[in-house]
Amino acid sequence: MTVTTGTTGTATRVIQRQIMPLDRDMEVMSLYIDLEDAHLDEDKYVVGGTQAAKDINNTQIRQATGSGRRVQPEQLIDRTRFKVLPGQGVSFGSLFNGFPASYWRRWTIVDKVRLEVTVSGADAHIIVNKSLANGNSQRVDSATTTEPGQQTFSFDLSLGPFVDGGWYWYDVVAGENECVVSANWTAEVPADRAEHGTVDMAITTMNRPDWCARLLQQFGNADLMPYLDTVFVMEQGTQLVEDSEEFPAAQELLGDKLRVLKQGNLGGSGGYARGQLESVRKGTATYALMMDDDVVCEPEGIIRQVTFGDLARRPTIVGGMMFNIYSRSRLHSFGEVVQPWRFWWLTPEDAYVAWDFSTRNIRSARWLHKRWDVDFNGWYSCLIPRVVLEEIGLSLPLFIKWDDSEYGLRAKEAGFPTVTMPGAAVWHVPWSDKNDALDWQAYFHHRNRIVAALLHSTYPKGGRLLRESLNNQIAHLVSMQYSTAELRLQAMEDILQGPAHLHEMLPTRLAEVNALRKQFSDAVLVADRDDLPPVRREKPPKRGKSISEVPSKRAQLIKAVTGPLRQVRPTRDLAADFPEVEVPASDAKWYQLASFDSAIVSMNDGTSAALYRRDPELFKALLKRTLQLHERYRREWPELAETYREQLGEITSPDAWERTFAPWTGTDEAGEA
């Protein structure tokens, strides 16, 4: 971004600019501008006794814009300029163009900003607004153009009133003529922070060649290129990104900045750790940015992450938000914390998930004005300063799951905060569309959650974790999900081998987990329903109840007692050959499945189903191991936690990772070629 050097040891730095969506994508327009309430009250624009919007009325606006909320393609002039039609009101109080003042106040050295709005067109009105943490908004300042030519208006804005939350934004209302608007937010910064840092991109890819190649093309954005040091692609699949028809275009755009590194499938943590290691060893970039291969990114967000990191009070991990790639105005992850007592990741309890910005934008949603402080940011888009990598080490060798959250907790304990920054984002497949709590990933979910808790839980024996683990395990057992129950037990047994085994298991554990699952019928997925037996049952449902009916809390408590007892009884004869019921994924809850001896259960992604069969002997064997393991963890937790904490520095060190990468890098155990 533009930097102007002053004579007082300071420099003026552009920290955010007005942007429009790439490729004129109308589906995401609500993330950039807001035409809701375009018929803004005339009284709001009375300045010094003169009504600046004298000719604006609701009828004219509806005539000019159709519904008042549709953007015409010709209004998107280029990446940074927008045309406001005659009589139209446009708010830039949006996710990508509002200024998240409270985040800048809390985490950076900036204490005031200057908003510069450039407008071409006579009789246009600019209104600057701010909000409080409770969502109440206030008008701060305004200006009106007096001639058809280009005029720039500057507004000096303090960040003082934003301790707990709040945004700045601006609205533009055109008079009888159209106008064109662009804007920059600038700040005076010390001269030694005038130049922007550079970033190594770390992309882990696995059999998504076209997705990955298209993402690489987005990095070729002309505005982003000066910020890129190296783009590392950790190729872990058999369908190579270099074989994609999209790859030559990416290669041409990135040139010698692009490096594809081939290695075995070490999961996301193994891929990201390779990128982190390469960045640390190279030592030329200020940051390393972890990003998934199956995302669509907003390149400007990367620039903003770097800029925020450059001006942070201390080395800070700067993450981006995540939108639903299938419903692109819908926010999936605004920020995440690890709830200490449960030791489980979640959106802060007073925030919302799946918020659709096409229906309610920042200005009208009070919860969005509070500043959300997080424990970690998902590695779908997460910028980590190199100095942090050098001080606290690289990713844990967890394959997938909990590597990003554990790293955020580790950094926090070392004094390095994480900020999920509004205005930086990617579009990604939402977690709610996946089935990773039941499939092979259940092993990594459970193992890595416990490992992270051993390392970072502040409560004796992990707080509620072991109790919740036991409850969930029994729920899987009474649901006939024996493969999932077995994987969770394997996970707990592997943890007891100690932290050194995490590196040893990294290249092989996935294949072993998949081989183990194949022994269970509930893990055999069938795409065609006709390949499974028809539903037959000895008796009709009690009182004609539907599987979709949710029992009362009292009924669920009774089921929690009787469900496990029922599992040791012999199965009904007919259930051995025919499923008793078909259960949609949304209804496949333990308190429903516990009543059946067999069932066809569909998967969350809608592509397949599995046949569940109750097995009393298997239930008893798995339950016995479950109780024994949880009792052992209850006894040995303190010593196990001490062991993992003592060895954390070693297993996350560059040297340890170099030994793991040796088969693909040609290095020996000492890390020498």
Side-chain angles (χ1 to χ4, degrees):
M1 293 204 173
T2 305
V3 174
T4 304
T5 304
T7 58
T8 59
T10 64
T12 302
R13 181 164 175 178
V14 176
I15 57 176
Q16 183 174 306
R17 61 177 185 163
Q18 175 184 301
I19 56 170
M20 294 294 110
L22 288 169
D23 303 324
R24 301 171 178 268
D25 187 349
M26 295 296 174
E27 187 181 357
V28 298
M29 190 58 63
S30 60
L31 305 180
Y32 294 82
I33 63 169
D34 190 1
L35 295 185
E36 186 178 9
D37 299 328
H39 53 285
L40 298 162
D41 189 346
E42 293 179 5
D43 293 338
K44 187 175 180 180
Y45 305 106
V46 176
V47 183
T50 301
Q51 188 170 313
K54 57 187 176 182
D55 294 322
I56 300 175
N57 59 61
N58 294 351
T59 301
Q60 286 177 304
I61 291 174
R62 283 193 293 270
Q63 291 172 346
T65 64
S67 68
R69 297 180 63 182
R70 287 197 293 267
V71 173
Q72 307 302 317
E74 63 269 17
Q75 292 183 260
L76 301 176
I77 296 176
D78 55 31
R79 178 64 160 155
T80 61
R81 294 183 297 163
F82 183 80
K83 180 189 295 183
V84 185
L85 301 178
Q88 187 180 54
V90 177
S91 176
F92 292 87
S94 64
L95 187 79
F96 284 126
N97 283 316
F99 185 77
S102 62
Y103 292 82
W104 282 88
R105 187 198 192 282
R106 172 65 182 91
W107 300 110
T108 76
I109 61 172
V110 176
D111 59 7
K112 59 185 176 181
V113 295
R114 172 171 290 180
L115 168 63
E116 296 179 341
V117 183
T118 299
V119 181
S120 299
D123 199 27
H125 200 61
I126 302 100
I127 311 96
V128 181
N129 306 278
K130 75 173 182 181
S131 66
L132 307 178
N134 61 10
N136 291 337
S137 61
Q138 302 172 352
R139 190 175 99 169
V140 176
D141 206 344
S142 62
T144 304
T145 61
T146 56
E147 56 188 47
Q150 179 173 294
Q151 293 179 262
T152 298
F153 301 90
S154 296
F155 305 92
D156 291 322
L157 306 169
S158 170
L159 299 186
F162 299 97
V163 171
D164 297 320
W167 293 64
Y168 277 122
W169 70 90
Y170 53 98
D171 301 332
V172 178
V173 181
E176 294 182 334
N177 304 297
E178 66 183 32
C179 66
V180 176
V181 59
S182 62
N184 286 323
W185 302 81
T186 67
E188 290 293 314
V189 302
D192 62 354
R193 302 226 193 182
E195 298 298 325
H196 66 74
T198 57
V199 60
D200 287 333
M201 302 297 300
I203 316 297
T204 301
T205 189
M206 172 73 176
N207 294 339
R208 294 192 185 103
D210 292 339
W211 275 94
C212 186
R214 285 192 289 267
L215 176 61
L216 295 177
Q217 291 175 23
Q218 295 168 47
F219 297 154
N221 177 279
D223 297 320
L224 177 59
M225 284 292 284
Y227 291 79
L228 297 182
D229 190 309
T230 306
V231 177
F232 293 108
V233 177
M234 275 56 71
E235 176 62 82
Q236 300 190 144
T238 56
Q239 302 171 37
L240 306 181
V241 64
E242 292 172 304
D243 294 336
S244 169
E245 294 181 355
E246 304 278 357
F247 185 74
Q251 193 170 40
E252 182 177 356
L253 286 167
L254 295 173
D256 59 6
K257 291 180 182 287
L258 177 61
R259 288 184 58 194
V260 179
L261 307 174
K262 297 177 182 178
Q263 61 186 39
N265 182 16
L266 303 179
S269 67
Y272 290 128
R274 178 73 182 277
Q276 295 165 3
L277 176 66
E278 297 287 342
S279 183
V280 167
R281 292 299 194 227
K282 179 167 61 67
T284 57
T286 322
Y287 309 97
L289 194 151
M290 313 299 108
M291 186 172 285
D292 280 347
D293 62 344
D294 57 343
V295 304
V296 173
C297 85
E298 167 52 84
E300 192 78 9
I302 298 174
I303 297 174
R304 293 178 181 181
Q305 286 169 276
V306 170
T307 303
F308 195 90
D310 289 345
L311 301 178
R313 297 174 186 268
R314 60 187 65 84
T316 298
I317 298 172
V318 186
M321 298 175 174
M322 187 185 114
F323 282 86
N324 187 333
I325 201 166
Y326 301 128
S327 179
R328 298 189 64 192
S329 63
R330 193 180 301 273
L331 183 64
H332 189 72
S333 177
F334 190 89
E336 293 178 280
V337 297
V338 175
Q339 206 284 337
W341 176 240
R342 290 185 58 209
F343 210 83
W344 184 248
W345 56 40
L346 70 162
T347 298
E349 293 180 0
D350 47 352
Y352 289 81
V353 295
W355 188 267
D356 193 342
F357 280 86
S358 69
T359 58
R360 292 192 67 186
N361 216 321
I362 288 173
R363 294 180 300 125
S364 63
R366 291 183 179 273
W367 73 274
L368 285 165
H369 296 261
K370 178 181 177 180
R371 188 191 73 244
W372 298 97
D373 295 335
V374 301
D375 291 326
F376 71 99
N377 199 96
W379 282 358
Y380 43 78
S381 180
C382 187
L383 180 105
I384 305 175
R386 178 162 52 85
V387 294
V388 174
L389 292 168
E390 291 170 339
E391 181 161 334
I392 73 170
L394 314 183
S395 170
L396 268 177
L398 298 179
F399 197 83
I400 59 169
K401 308 300 179 187
W402 284 89
D403 46 356
D404 47 14
S405 47
E406 185 281 328
Y407 200 89
L409 294 175
R410 196 191 329 162
K412 184 178 181 179
E413 291 172 4
F416 303 120
T418 297
V419 177
T420 298
M421 184 183 178
V426 297
W427 289 265
H428 190 275
V429 177
W431 305 301
S432 55
D433 291 347
K434 299 182 178 181
N435 202 46
D436 58 4
L438 298 179
D439 64 11
W440 58 270
Q441 298 173 84
Y443 168 87
F444 297 101
H445 265 300
H446 197 48
R447 185 195 67 174
N448 300 347
R449 178 189 182 189
I450 296 175
V451 167
L454 287 166
L455 290 168
H456 302 293
S457 176
T458 56
Y459 289 95
K461 302 177 183 178
R464 182 185 164 83
L465 186 147
L466 290 178
R467 176 184 170 188
E468 193 167 292
S469 171
L470 179 60
N471 291 344
N472 290 339
Q473 184 74 356
I474 294 175
H476 287 302
L477 288 173
V478 300
S479 300
M480 302 173 285
Q481 294 162 346
Y482 301 124
S483 66
T484 302
E486 175 62 35
L487 293 185
R488 288 165 54 88
L489 293 177
Q490 288 283 331
M492 297 181 73
E493 290 167 352
D494 286 349
I495 293 170
L496 295 172
Q497 296 182 53
H501 285 80
L502 293 174
H503 273 285
E504 295 174 10
M505 291 186 289
L506 196 62
T508 61
R509 203 65 182 107
L510 175 60
E512 295 164 354
V513 163
N514 279 326
L516 183 63
R517 290 185 71 238
K518 292 179 181 179
Q519 303 173 27
F520 299 88
S521 66
D522 63 281
V524 178
L525 304 183
V526 178
D528 190 342
R529 168 62 183 85
D530 289 340
D531 291 339
L532 294 172
V535 171
R536 294 184 186 175
R537 57 191 305 171
E538 295 177 359
K539 295 180 180 180
K542 188 176 182 180
R543 298 175 184 172
K545 288 187 176 182
S546 166
I547 193 70
S548 298
E549 292 184 33
V550 178
S552 65
K553 288 186 177 180
R554 180 175 179 275
Q556 289 184 39
L557 289 173
I558 294 173
K559 182 75 72 173
V561 175
T562 62
L565 297 176
R566 180 184 175 277
Q567 302 304 306
V568 300
R569 295 169 51 191
T571 60
R572 291 180 281 267
D573 293 338
L574 199 59
D577 298 313
F578 299 99
E580 296 181 319
V581 67
E582 286 192 45
V583 184
S586 58
D587 296 325
K589 306 296 191 292
W590 68 268
Y591 47 77
Q592 304 288 18
L593 293 172
S595 299
F596 300 104
D597 288 346
S598 59
I600 293 175
V601 182
S602 60
M603 300 297 107
N604 283 345
D605 60 7
T607 62
S608 57
L611 177 58
Y612 289 10
R613 287 193 176 101
R614 186 164 71 82
D615 185 332
E617 294 306 314
L618 182 57
F619 172 85
K620 287 187 284 187
L622 290 173
L623 179 61
K624 181 179 179 180
R625 284 173 59 204
T626 293
L627 297 175
Q628 290 173 340
L629 265 176
H630 283 81
E631 174 58 23
R632 181 176 176 185
Y633 267 82
R634 190 191 66 78
R635 294 194 314 269
E636 299 180 14
W637 183 278
E639 294 78 13
L640 196 59
E642 184 178 0
T643 299
Y644 271 82
R645 295 181 188 196
E646 286 177 349
Q647 297 185 35
L648 176 61
E650 165 56 27
I651 61 177
T652 61
S653 69
D655 289 345
W657 273 108
E658 281 184 333
R659 291 191 291 272
T660 297
F661 294 133
W664 301 282
T665 60
T667 56
D668 60 23
E669 291 191 357
E672 298 176 353

